[in-house]
Amino acid sequence: MSQRNRVSYVQPAEPAFLSRFKERVGYREGPTVETKMKNQLQQMEES
């Protein structure tokens, strides 16, 4: 297999100034794709 097909993504660490800013303003992360999918699956199972 060619090396060209082995693409991956590594998310960089969040800079310290952003962490401090988010903490100061009370920022909360929104739902991710995984949590949305999990919620949809749970709703389908309950129906």
Side-chain angles (χ1 to χ4, degrees):
M1 182 182 283
S2 152
Q3 291 290 344
R4 216 165 124 173
N5 293 335
R6 295 182 188 176
V7 177
S8 64
Y9 173 74
V10 177
Q11 187 171 5
E14 186 174 84
F17 75 93
L18 282 179
S19 300
R20 288 191 304 264
F21 179 76
K22 287 179 179 180
E23 185 178 318
R24 206 176 328 146
V25 297
Y27 176 78
R28 291 186 298 152
E29 290 287 332
T32 63
V33 173
E34 289 81 20
T35 57
K36 286 181 179 182
M37 182 63 78
K38 183 178 176 183
N39 289 340
Q40 283 182 346
L41 290 173
Q42 286 176 348
Q43 288 176 354
M44 289 175 61
E45 289 175 355
E46 292 174 356
S47 298

